[in-house]
Amino acid sequence: MLTDMDYYTPGQMAERFDLTLDTLRYYEKAGLLRQVERAPSGHRRYRADDAELLHLIRCLRDTDMPIARLREFAELVRAGDHTIPERVEVLQSHQRRLDEHIAELRVRQAAIQHKIEYYLGVLAENGHRAPEDDSPIGHTHPTDHTSRSVEEAL
Amino acid sequence: MLTDMDYYTPGQMAERFDLTLDTLRYYEKAGLLRQVERAPSGHRRYRADDAELLHLIRCLRDTDMPIARLREFAELVRAGDHTIPERVEVLQSHQRRLDEHIAELRVRQAAIQHKIEYYLGVLAENGHRAPEDDSPIGHTHPTDHTSRSVEEAL
DNA sequence: ACTTGACCTGGAGCGCACTCCAGGTCCCAT
DNA sequence: ATGGGACCTGGAGTGCGCTCCAGGTCAAGT
């Protein structure tokens, strides 16, 4: 038996999961949340299990699961407990893609770091050799930075 | 002095960095690449330093730097070597945001993992107690999965 | 002379995930 | 009874990053 205290208002849900009322409604329309119960006033009231699902949805969205896949997942949830094995597979496959994604981010990050260090090298060199060329009219030696390292190209 | 061999065709650039000719032109229009030289035919020809910059752009895009910030960075590059300190700051600040982003992904991933393990727990329990309820008409005990763990809610 | 393939242009269109808005209802406190 | 605040609806609009297209040029091969 549920009392008033067992429900959350749209505002509470929005605040708790840091999203807007619009987004909340959008998720409902998109099928991520079931058609939510209403108070006599017509206002939505969310239950604990809506919050639980929304929490997971938030995690999955934050890790870039597209809305369409989230809708499929939400349908599994609505279909009942016998879909738990399928849900596990969906989540595990998501985790694997996430691992790959993070790995790729790290690779890119390393490449950027390499560039930063190249720049720092240029600065160190200029620092104790030539002060700085800032002639007002500029536009000098346009190929200077290529002379440094050839492998920079790939 | 540059010979024909020192240039890359649009097709070569596209293949090398795994993007389309359209994207390459889009990047140019958006100011990520300078107005590129043309062969007498009108076809673009890219130099080694275009490739070098595009490589960095690719890394930055792959780590979600927006086009607008990339354009700013590209403007620094065009402005000459005296902007290197600024470029370093841009890149370092990007690295920091990237660190934070990866950290957040890991947090979300852990939360998802927690859910997976919760599901696996349910399966293990059902596995050696009740085989499965798949009565054709379904729609039974809709609150069963809430009974398990209250802290699941946040 | 003809075809093929690589590339060109300007501009329209697309997919995604929201985000905004006008106009309305309901409830509560002054 | 009036005002304010929280929420409602349907539908249009937004921003981003491409992506596609029609119609054209150019150079090389057959």
Side-chain angles (χ1 to χ4, degrees):
Chain A
M1 151 131 282
L2 295 173
T3 86
D4 276 11
M5 292 307 294
D6 294 315
Y7 291 106
Y8 304 104
T9 67
Q12 285 168 337
M13 291 289 272
E15 159 140 41
R16 182 163 178 181
F17 297 108
D18 192 34
L19 29 82
T20 68
L21 296 182
D22 274 324
T23 301
L24 220 40
R25 287 190 287 259
Y26 168 73
Y27 282 178
E28 187 177 334
K29 263 189 216 163
L32 309 199
L33 268 31
R34 72 177 202 307
Q35 293 287 87
V36 143
E37 286 159 61
R38 302 310 179 94
S41 65
H43 291 194
R44 286 170 178 79
R45 10 189 238 189
Y46 297 91
R47 294 186 316 226
D49 60 329
D50 293 319
E52 196 183 324
L53 178 55
L54 188 55
H55 175 64
L56 182 55
I57 285 171
R58 197 56 166 109
C59 289
L60 293 169
R61 273 299 301 134
D62 285 352
T63 51
D64 298 309
M65 182 177 287
I67 299 290
R69 215 182 308 274
L70 275 161
R71 200 201 50 242
E72 288 168 21
F73 183 83
E75 274 158 18
L76 290 180
V77 172
R78 265 170 262 141
D81 285 2
H82 65 280
T83 65
I84 287 183
E86 257 184 280
R87 294 185 223 168
V88 168
E89 284 202 29
V90 170
L91 295 184
Q92 279 176 341
S93 124
H94 181 70
Q95 297 287 67
R96 281 192 297 275
R97 265 175 295 123
L98 191 45
D99 279 336
E100 284 163 28
H101 181 58
I102 291 173
E104 200 202 307
L105 291 182
R106 289 233 178 276
V107 168
R108 302 300 175 205
Q109 196 180 33
I112 296 164
Q113 196 58 39
H114 185 236
K115 191 72 177 186
I116 288 174
E117 269 141 35
Y118 161 75
Y119 278 147
L120 292 178
V122 175
L123 287 178
E125 225 166 84
N126 286 359
H128 59 79
R129 277 235 284 265
E132 180 67 27
D133 173 305
D134 51 344
S135 60
I137 313 163
H139 297 109
T140 43
H141 42 237
T143 53
D144 255 37
H145 49 308
T146 323
S147 65
R148 190 149 225 286
S149 143
V150 189
E151 299 87 277
E152 220 58 44
L154 210 174
Chain B
M1 155 132 277
L2 295 174
T3 84
D4 277 11
M5 291 308 294
D6 294 313
Y7 290 106
Y8 304 103
T9 67
Q12 284 169 340
M13 291 290 272
E15 159 139 41
R16 184 164 178 179
F17 298 107
D18 193 33
L19 28 81
T20 67
L21 296 181
D22 274 324
T23 301
L24 220 40
R25 286 189 288 259
Y26 169 73
Y27 282 178
E28 187 177 334
K29 263 189 216 162
L32 309 198
L33 269 29
R34 72 175 201 307
Q35 293 287 85
V36 142
E37 287 158 59
R38 303 309 178 93
S41 65
H43 291 196
R44 287 169 177 81
R45 6 188 244 189
Y46 297 91
R47 294 188 316 227
D49 60 330
D50 293 318
E52 197 182 322
L53 178 55
L54 188 55
H55 175 63
L56 182 55
I57 286 171
R58 197 56 166 111
C59 289
L60 294 169
R61 273 302 299 136
D62 284 352
T63 51
D64 299 307
M65 181 177 288
I67 297 292
R69 216 184 304 277
L70 275 160
R71 199 200 51 243
E72 288 167 20
F73 183 83
E75 274 158 17
L76 290 179
V77 172
R78 265 171 260 140
D81 285 2
H82 66 278
T83 65
I84 286 181
E86 257 185 280
R87 292 184 224 169
V88 168
E89 284 202 29
V90 170
L91 295 184
Q92 279 175 342
S93 123
H94 181 69
Q95 297 287 69
R96 281 191 297 275
R97 265 174 296 124
L98 191 45
D99 279 337
E100 284 164 28
H101 181 57
I102 291 173
E104 201 202 306
L105 290 182
R106 289 232 178 278
V107 169
R108 303 301 175 203
Q109 196 180 34
I112 297 163
Q113 196 58 40
H114 185 235
K115 192 72 178 186
I116 288 174
E117 269 141 34
Y118 161 75
Y119 277 148
L120 292 178
V122 175
L123 288 179
E125 223 167 86
N126 286 359
H128 60 80
R129 279 235 282 264
E132 180 65 29
D133 174 304
D134 50 345
S135 61
I137 312 163
H139 297 110
T140 42
H141 44 236
T143 52
D144 256 35
H145 49 310
T146 323
S147 64
R148 189 149 228 283
S149 144
V150 189
E151 299 88 276
E152 218 59 41
L154 208 175

